Amino acid sequence: MSDPILFIADLHLDPSRPAVTETFLRFLEEEATDAGALYILGDLFEAWVGDDAVSGDEPEIEAMAELSQAGTPLFIMHGNRDFLLGEAFAEMTGATLLPDPSVTRVHGERVLITHGDSLCLGDPEYVAFRAMVRDPEWQRRFLSLPLDERIRQARHARAQSMARTGTLDPEIMDVAPAAVHQAMRDHGVQWLIHGHTHRPAVHRLQLGEKEGARFVLGDWFEQGSVLRCLPDTWTLERWDHPVTLARSPQSGSVEPGPTQPR
Ligand code: MN
């Protein structure tokens, strides 16, 4: 049997949510080691102000390095939060950074993969912001600032964005159906995998004569979300770790065992 190809996105790893990092580390150890490849389609990190902000001995970076050294190919795409992940990060983890969008082969099928924010055209202000921060010249200037200044600016931008998106209609922050069809037509594919919207689902699509599907990966705030592609079945799953309940010998009541991250 072929090894599964795994797709995840939107972990938004951040020191303020250690349980998510813990879940990701378990996922790498328990699932990804046996995979044919692991694709992380953006927003692995809540924020990324430059590769020089990490030392390389962070547990999640070491775990990704171990995974790729053990022979599981690791592919990472930028999201709208961690679009500054660079070559030094790729070197540290053994990951290959993929352009957004990319076409890859999954068990013989051509599949379009993207973070997904470029398909969300309902918010012109965001479209303009995206074009600005993806400009190599803007990135070069930002990365040349001292680290503490980059951290300060990133916090400020995040606070502004949260204040603004809170006022937007949820429809505006979903993908534009016309953009989805256009992108799939342009790349000649029947299958699309993306994240970003945090609305996990499998949407069946009719593309001319052919049937296709759009797989939307969920975020990792409450539990993991993974698309597991076997040769014949592609399944969007929640990924969690079992919670063990142990009987207390004193009271006879059931109480939680060692805390399990969700
Ligand atoms: Mn995103």
Side-chain angles (χ1 to χ4, degrees), residues 10 12 43 80 115 196 198:
D10 297 293
H12 294 263
D43 288 353
N80 55 299
H115 177 57
H196 182 64
H198 301 202

Side-chain angles (χ1 to χ4, degrees), residues 17-238:
R17 285 187 291 266
V20 181
T21 302
E22 198 59 38
T23 305
F24 178 52
L25 295 176
R26 283 172 190 272
F27 173 80
L28 291 179
E29 206 177 296
E30 295 173 17
E31 293 290 337
T33 39
D34 299 323
L38 172 64
Y39 287 80
I40 305 176
L41 300 186
D43 288 353
L44 169 60
F45 296 100
E46 173 74 6
W48 197 264
V49 294
D51 294 352
D52 57 339
V54 294
S55 61
D57 56 12
E58 291 76 6
E60 64 274 18
I61 291 180
E62 283 191 337
M64 287 187 278
E66 273 171 38
L67 178 77
S68 46
Q69 273 158 25
T72 301
L74 174 63
F75 299 100
I76 300 184
M77 189 175 274
H78 292 133
N80 55 299
R81 300 293 185 75
D82 54 10
F83 55 85
L84 289 172
L85 288 171
E87 284 308 321
F89 168 80
E91 186 92 2
M92 277 181 240
T93 52
T96 303
L97 294 177
L98 294 177
D100 181 3
S102 290
V103 172
T104 189
R105 273 199 186 268
V106 180
H107 300 301
E109 296 284 337
R110 293 180 71 249
V111 179
L112 182 62
I113 51 178
T114 174
H115 177 57
D117 56 319
S118 63
L119 300 170
C120 299
L121 302 175
D123 177 5
E125 212 173 303
Y126 175 70
V127 174
F129 171 80
R130 186 179 193 278
M132 177 182 82
V133 300
R134 297 302 180 97
D135 174 42
E137 181 53 29
W138 184 93
Q139 295 192 357
R140 198 195 53 72
R141 257 184 292 129
F142 182 80
L143 289 172
S144 70
L145 296 171
L147 183 56
D148 56 350
E149 174 59 15
R150 278 179 270 155
I151 292 171
R152 199 192 62 76
Q153 289 194 14
R155 282 213 188 102
H156 179 70
R158 181 70 201 121
Q160 276 195 322
S161 146
M162 276 171 80
R164 214 176 70 77
T165 51
T167 66
L168 292 178
D169 182 328
E171 281 304 303
I172 287 178
M173 290 181 288
D174 202 356
V175 298
V180 167
H181 281 263
Q182 185 70 50
M184 294 178 82
R185 252 199 319 272
D186 289 351
H187 292 90
V189 297
Q190 288 158 262
W191 315 106
L192 168 65
I193 305 172
H194 72 83
H196 182 64
T197 60
H198 301 202
R199 299 173 195 209
V202 181
H203 300 277
R204 290 245 161 226
L205 299 170
Q206 196 62 42
L207 302 151
E209 299 287 279
K210 290 180 179 166
E211 242 199 299
R214 173 169 70 96
F215 297 89
V216 188
L217 306 166
D219 63 63
W220 282 54
F221 293 135
E222 300 295 325
Q223 71 255 305
S225 173
V226 56
L227 178 65
R228 184 189 307 274
C229 296
L230 290 166
D232 297 326
T233 52
W234 295 13
T235 314
L236 183 62
E237 301 173 348
R238 294 201 179 98

